[in-house]
Amino acid sequence: KMITHLIFVGLLSSSRTWISGNDITFLYSPDVNHCQLLCTQHPSCLFFTFIRADWTHDDRHFYCYLKSTPSGEPSAQTPVQGATSGFSLKSCSPDPQPCLSEVYQNMDFPGADYRYLFTGDHEECQRVCTQDPACQFFTFAQENFSITKIRYKCHLKFSWTVPRTPVIERKAGVTSGFSQKIYQTQHFDKACQRKLFPNTGIAGRDIESLPAASPEHCQILCSTHPRCTYFTYNRNTFHCYLKESTHEMVTRASDTGTSGLPHRSCQFDNNWARVAYEGVDFKGSDIRYELMDDADTCQKTCTEDPHCQFYTYVDETFFDRSYWRHCFLKRVITIPAPPKVITLTNVVSGFSLKNCA
C-alpha cells in the first residue's frame, strides 16, 4: 500500500498538476518535499499544491497550499505549468522529526533571525546552526553577494518545535492535556529550578503572544525561544507573553498575572505536560477522535500515538450529549518552517541537521 501511494504522488509531481480542493491555509516551502511534510504534519491536510520558481501566472512563488475535501479525494486535477501537487503521507507513518538535508542556492529565508555571525562558507554556517539548540534553519550571504558589508554573514533562524495549542478556552464538561512524549531536550546533569513570580506582571517588551495552558507551559515556551528573557502569563485569558530585554526587568502587581524566567542550561522536566486541565478546551487541530470512558485513557491514548501532541476529552456533563465520551487527538506542525521563501542571488539557505543522525 505504501509503495502504491508513493508512486501516485510521483505521477502527480511529473504531470505539473494543480489539485482542486478546500484550501486550509498556505505556508512557504523551499521545495515540494518540504511542502509534502507540512501537509503530512498538519492535522487535517490530505493533499497539497506547491508553486515552484518557474510559475509565471503571478508572484506566488514557493507557496505551499494545504488542502482537504469532505470526500477525502481531490475535486479536480488540472495540468498547470509551475505547480506540483501530491498527497499527505500520514498513512505511511513518517518520521515526526525528518532529516532536512537539502541546501538551496540563490534562495533566502527572510525573517525569524535571532543571531548573526560571520563564517567562511555556508557549510560552516549550517554546522553552527546544527550545534545551536534554538536554530532550525539559516541563510548565508556568499562572498560575491551584492551588499559587500554582509558578505560571509550567517543568519541563524528560529521556528517552533514545541507544540503550541492554537486556541485555549474555558468550557464545562471537557478535560485537556498533553502527550507525555512531546518535549525532548538536551541532557544536563542539573535539573531546572522553576522560577515563577505569582501575582506579578512585567510591562511591555513583548516579542510574541501565544496561548498556554499554565504558567509552567508558558515558561517552557519562553525557555525554547532564543530571544525570550522573561515572560508574563495571564491565567484569565490563557495568554503567554514572551518578552525581551537584557537591560532591565520592571515588575508590577497583577491580579491575573504570573511572571517568570526561562530555564537555561538545565534539564527540563515534563511535569507541566502531566497535568490534566479540567474545564479547559484545546480547541481545533483535531487529527481524529475515539470513544472511551475517561480522560486518563484519553491522555494515555495520546501519549501512545506518535502523532498526537495534545488532546481534549468530553465527559457526560457536557451540554451536548452527541460529544460525550469523545477523545479528540490533536497536533500542530513542528517541522522547521521558514516564515517566507524568496529567490535572492548569491545566498544559500538550508536547515539544521539535528535530525540527520
Side-chain angles (χ1 to χ4, degrees), residues 5 37 55 85 95 191 210 226 228 312 324 331:
H5 189 76
L37 289 172
W55 172 266
S85 297
D95 187 343
L210 61 169
C228 185
T312 291
W324 287 3
R331 72 158 296 126

Side-chain angles (χ1 to χ4, degrees), residues 77-88:
Q77 300 173 27
T78 308
V80 177
Q81 175 65 36
T84 301
S85 297
F87 289 86
S88 161

Side-chain angles (χ1 to χ4, degrees), residues 120-180:
D121 54 33
H122 76 268
E123 292 177 344
E124 185 178 0
C125 182
Q126 188 174 45
R127 286 195 298 271
V128 174
C129 180
T130 300
Q131 293 166 8
D132 187 320
C135 185
Q136 299 302 322
F137 44 94
F138 68 91
T139 293
F140 174 77
Q142 294 178 296
E143 61 181 341
N144 50 355
F145 187 64
S146 59
I147 304 174
T148 58
K149 64 182 180 181
I150 63 169
R151 290 173 179 173
Y152 300 101
K153 192 171 185 179
C154 172
H155 301 71
L156 303 186
K157 298 165 183 283
F158 169 78
S159 71
W160 289 105
T161 57
V162 178
R164 292 91 52 225
T165 48
V167 179
I168 303 177
E169 57 186 26
R170 298 191 188 280
K171 189 174 291 184
V174 303
T175 299
S176 298
F178 296 91
S179 165
Q180 306 299 288

Side-chain angles (χ1 to χ4, degrees), residues 190-203:
K190 183 175 176 59
C192 296
Q193 300 299 311
R194 183 164 286 122
K195 194 64 177 178
L196 297 175
F197 310 118
N199 301 314
T200 302
I202 301 174

Side-chain angles (χ1 to χ4, degrees), residues 338-353:
K340 194 169 185 180
V341 179
I342 62 172
T343 299
L344 185 62
T345 304
N346 296 322
V347 302
V348 179
S349 295
F351 294 94
S352 163
L353 299 179

Side-chain angles (χ1 to χ4, degrees), residues 20 131 157 205 240 298 346:
S20 297
Q131 293 166 8
K157 298 165 183 283
R205 305 193 181 278
C240 173
C298 186
N346 296 322

Side-chain angles (χ1 to χ4, degrees), residues 170-175 278-280 312-319 323-326:
R170 298 191 188 280
K171 189 174 291 184
V174 303
T175 299
E278 295 184 5
V280 174
T312 291
Y313 179 75
V314 184
D315 63 37
E316 295 183 1
T317 66
F318 190 66
F319 74 94
Y323 288 96
W324 287 3
R325 300 179 59 244
H326 281 50

